[in-house]
Amino acid sequence: MGEWAAGLDVADVPAPVLDRLSLVLLDAAGVTALGAGLDGMRAMRSSWNAPGGPAPLIGGGRCVSVDAAAWLNAMSLVCLELDEGNKYAKGHPAAHGFPAVLALASERDASGRDTAAALLAAYEVASRFGRASRLRPGAHPHGSWGVAGAAAGCARLLGLGPDAVAAAIDTGAGLPVAGHFASATGGNPVRDAWMGASNLSGLVAARMASAGIARNTGTAALSLGTLLGEFDASELTGGLGERWDIARGYFKRHASCSFTHPAADAVLELRHDLDPSRITGILVETHALGAGLAAPEWDNRLSAMFSTPFAVAAALLDGEVGPRARLDDPALRALARRVRLVEAGDLTARLPDERAARVTVELDDGSARTREVPNPVGDADHRPLAEQDVLALLKGWLPGREDLIDRAAAFSRDLPALDHVGERLRGLAGDETDDETKEPK
């Protein structure tokens, strides 16, 4: 794996893979800018009080030190549950390492060719570590297996050789967060900070390798395996350079955990002729991974985003599960209490290729309507989103900041051909005074 990452050159990467990288990068930049506008992230930037530096706070209006940008951009990227993910990795490979790679690329004013290679290395290594890791029940995937990807991407950008890259990867695998899923369902933003830790730890691992003090001792099998679950090392090099996991991910159109999306998509297909006042109950059948998101109550935005009853109710009432959902609307809360979530064995059996849901809406006349979907809309295997779709979503979520999204799109498309990326990346900081992206009251 170290040899592959160290030698990765975008000149040898198939054009469709580079197109997908461009789209994932656009999504990451746009969603980071959206998250940066939340009141909590504004307060976090103020509290951090990072000194000025070479790396942009995307959508945050200024440039700061590499470490601060890596951490804060990672938190902004994941805080609205809108970032790209991968069902085979069982999480979010891009968010684990893209902020670190981009911050480091800004500091080094790296070439677009090297930056693109580093981003691909970060994604592919993280995804394979996600495939290889089977975390203990209750563990959240943020900040654990993906640190190895952040380390790989940063090491590739530093131009390290195969042995050093391997040592960085193993060191990154020795810096996981042991986060509990209940922190997410309970609405604790420490869950967002786990991604900040992943990106900063990836930088640390690569710097240790650059300094010659990192060692490759099989730490991954101990940290991700013995301590946090099970680890199958045979997954790490499967299809390297042949199978590109970045092409098999999903983009989100709902601001909620991906496990809630199939149910939301199903009720959207049923919604056009339904009167919510006539609904007596909604049965949602899902797979084992999503069966725990059953809470019909929520205390804040984060706990709502990990509630299938919330996502279903929002989709039925608003026609979307957007970043500005009416969290305290009495009608939304009342409808959510009528949602029942259960595991269905036949849907669990279809994992990992499908993350299906079956929704049955029961009406006051005794009739019922059922819809089943195999994967969320936006998955590479089910109604995938193209660039125009991602752009439309981002511009709809960021009114008044279309210029920033256009700059992100142009940078993402141009990346492999750029001689230097620093100035273009810093242009993505935008203007923090735009009130349109503030968190709704």
Side-chain angles (χ1 to χ4, degrees):
M1 179 172 273
E3 183 177 7
W4 174 81
L8 182 57
D9 189 332
V10 293
D12 303 322
V13 175
V17 176
L18 292 180
D19 289 342
R20 184 70 176 194
L21 170 63
S22 172
L23 196 53
V24 173
L25 181 55
L26 165 61
D27 178 82
V31 171
T32 299
L34 179 63
L38 295 185
D39 287 350
M41 285 309 305
R42 290 175 181 270
M44 184 67 182
R45 294 194 299 275
S46 177
S47 179
W48 193 296
N49 194 27
L57 291 172
I58 297 175
R62 58 189 296 252
C63 294
V64 295
S65 63
V66 170
D67 293 9
W71 188 295
L72 292 169
N73 283 334
M75 287 188 69
S76 293
L77 174 56
V78 302
C79 67
L80 280 169
E81 265 297 302
L82 282 168
D83 55 299
E84 186 266 2
N86 191 294
K87 64 189 177 187
Y88 297 104
K90 305 179 289 291
H92 301 265
H96 275 94
F98 274 31
V101 169
L102 293 175
L104 186 60
S106 298
E107 178 188 53
R108 296 176 63 83
D109 198 18
S111 71
R113 183 170 176 168
D114 283 339
T115 303
L119 292 169
L120 277 174
Y123 194 106
E124 296 299 318
V125 171
S127 181
R128 282 163 175 77
F129 267 83
R131 286 175 178 265
S133 301
R134 181 176 296 177
L135 301 177
R136 294 185 187 279
H140 194 286
H142 273 21
S144 54
W145 46 258
V147 184
C154 292
R156 169 61 183 83
L157 197 59
L158 292 174
L160 304 186
D163 290 344
V165 174
I169 292 170
D170 196 49
T171 300
L175 292 167
V177 170
H180 201 286
F181 214 101
S183 296
T185 56
N188 190 331
V190 69
R191 171 258 182 196
D192 301 334
W194 296 335
M195 279 304 200
S198 173
N199 281 271
L200 187 53
S201 292
L203 279 164
V204 169
R207 289 165 175 161
M208 288 177 65
S210 180
I213 63 173
R215 297 183 62 202
N216 178 13
T217 62
T219 296
L222 302 175
S223 58
L224 297 172
T226 304
L227 290 179
L228 297 184
E230 300 175 12
F231 191 75
D232 179 6
S234 68
E235 290 281 2
L236 297 184
T237 54
L240 274 175
E242 299 172 0
R243 184 195 75 222
W244 295 91
D245 279 2
I246 196 169
R248 310 184 78 186
Y250 57 81
F251 295 108
K252 290 185 169 187
R253 62 173 185 163
H254 303 308
S256 60
C257 174
S258 66
F259 296 156
T260 73
H261 287 210
D265 291 338
V267 298
L268 285 175
E269 294 181 9
L270 294 169
R271 178 178 181 265
H272 65 282
D273 59 351
L274 278 179
D275 179 355
S277 67
R278 295 188 55 212
I279 296 174
T280 58
I282 302 172
L283 173 64
V284 178
E285 299 171 87
T286 188
H287 48 79
L289 296 177
L293 307 187
E297 304 287 346
W298 51 89
D299 297 326
N300 60 13
R301 182 188 304 275
L302 180 58
S303 58
M305 294 189 299
F306 280 83
S307 163
T308 294
F310 161 78
V312 167
L316 275 169
L317 292 182
D318 298 339
E320 65 172 357
V321 189
R324 292 171 174 79
R326 302 167 295 157
L327 298 178
D328 295 322
D329 182 1
L332 192 153
R333 286 185 176 272
L335 184 56
R337 295 188 195 103
R338 290 177 234 158
V339 178
R340 183 164 62 98
L341 181 69
V342 300
E343 180 191 351
D346 64 316
L347 302 185
T348 295
R350 286 149 64 176
L351 293 170
D353 294 321
E354 293 188 8
R355 286 185 172 179
R358 189 164 46 240
V359 176
T360 301
V361 178
E362 301 158 353
L363 302 176
D364 55 8
D365 62 1
S367 65
R369 301 177 189 179
T370 299
R371 188 63 51 93
E372 180 178 311
V373 297
N375 273 303
V377 171
D379 188 278
D381 296 326
H382 181 64
R383 295 172 60 184
L385 303 185
E387 183 182 274
Q388 64 267 26
D389 303 311
V390 174
L391 281 170
L393 286 170
L394 292 174
K395 290 184 177 182
W397 293 329
L398 280 163
R401 306 203 77 182
E402 291 85 357
D403 60 330
L404 178 61
I405 300 304
D406 287 338
R407 287 201 300 275
F411 172 75
S412 301
R413 290 189 214 105
D414 296 344
L415 179 61
L418 295 177
D419 292 331
H420 299 282
V421 301
E423 184 177 354
R424 294 281 292 270
L425 274 170
R426 285 185 283 276
L428 300 182
D431 181 1
E432 195 175 16
T433 63
D434 189 337
D435 289 335
E436 291 294 332
T437 57
K438 279 192 175 181
E439 185 171 9
K441 302 297 184 184

